[in-house]
């Protein structure tokens, strides 16, 4: 028989992660964010995956609304502390603007190539 280990986080550990003073507001936060609390002989705990999803949900919803189908790439960059990858990914996608640069300095700022819009 195969047993899988699911990582637990005790409420006393969550106090610092969600910036609360004690366990009572942590219970309220868990209830508000639909994170089930379980009990064993060591105390009250939640499963790490449930907590991380609830904690990251505002970020995920923001990324979905801002980047559409590409939100997962941005989210992975956030998780890996590789925000520079977001800049690289942004530069790959061309933004359409109503402004057409006329001078050479403006073309350098708004276009990758000076000859591209000339």
């Amino acid at each position: 028989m195969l047993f899988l280990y699911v990582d637990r986080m005790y409420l006393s550990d969550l106090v610092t992660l969600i910036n609360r003073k004690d366990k009572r507001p942590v219970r309220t936060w868990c209830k508000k964010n639909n994170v089930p609390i379980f009990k064993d002989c060591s105390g009250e705990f939640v499963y790490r995956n449930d907590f991380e999803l609830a904690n990251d949900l505002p970020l995920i919803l923001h990324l979905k609304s801002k980047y559409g189908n590409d939100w997962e790439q941005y989210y992975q960059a956030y998780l890996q502390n590789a925000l520079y990858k977001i800049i690289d990914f942004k530069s790959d996608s061309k933004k359409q603007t109503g402004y057409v640069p006329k001078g050479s300095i403006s073309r350098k700022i708004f276009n990758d190539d000076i000859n591209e819009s000339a």
Side-chain angles (χ1 to χ4, degrees), residues 74-95:
Y74 287 90
Y75 182 62
Q76 289 301 322
Y78 270 95
L79 292 179
Q80 297 168 357
N81 269 344
L83 296 178
Y84 64 91
K85 290 182 181 178
I86 292 177
I87 295 170
D88 292 340
F89 186 67
K90 269 187 178 178
S91 67
D92 291 343
S93 61
K94 299 282 183 186
K95 288 189 174 181

Side-chain angles (χ1 to χ4, degrees), residues 43-99:
E44 295 176 308
F45 66 91
V46 298
Y47 290 112
R48 180 177 296 277
N49 292 338
D50 291 339
F51 170 75
E52 288 180 352
L53 177 62
N55 198 32
D56 290 349
L57 193 59
L59 173 63
I60 291 170
L61 294 175
H62 170 71
L63 293 175
K64 276 186 166 185
S65 68
K66 189 170 183 179
Y67 301 111
N69 292 335
D70 297 330
W71 73 270
E72 288 182 79
Q73 293 171 345
Y74 287 90
Y75 182 62
Q76 289 301 322
Y78 270 95
L79 292 179
Q80 297 168 357
N81 269 344
L83 296 178
Y84 64 91
K85 290 182 181 178
I86 292 177
I87 295 170
D88 292 340
F89 186 67
K90 269 187 178 178
S91 67
D92 291 343
S93 61
K94 299 282 183 186
K95 288 189 174 181
Q96 295 292 333
T97 61
Y99 177 71

Side-chain angles (χ1 to χ4, degrees), residues 33-51:
N33 290 292
N34 298 319
V35 177
I37 298 174
F38 302 96
K39 294 180 184 179
D40 66 359
C41 58
S42 300
E44 295 176 308
F45 66 91
V46 298
Y47 290 112
R48 180 177 296 277
N49 292 338
D50 291 339
F51 170 75

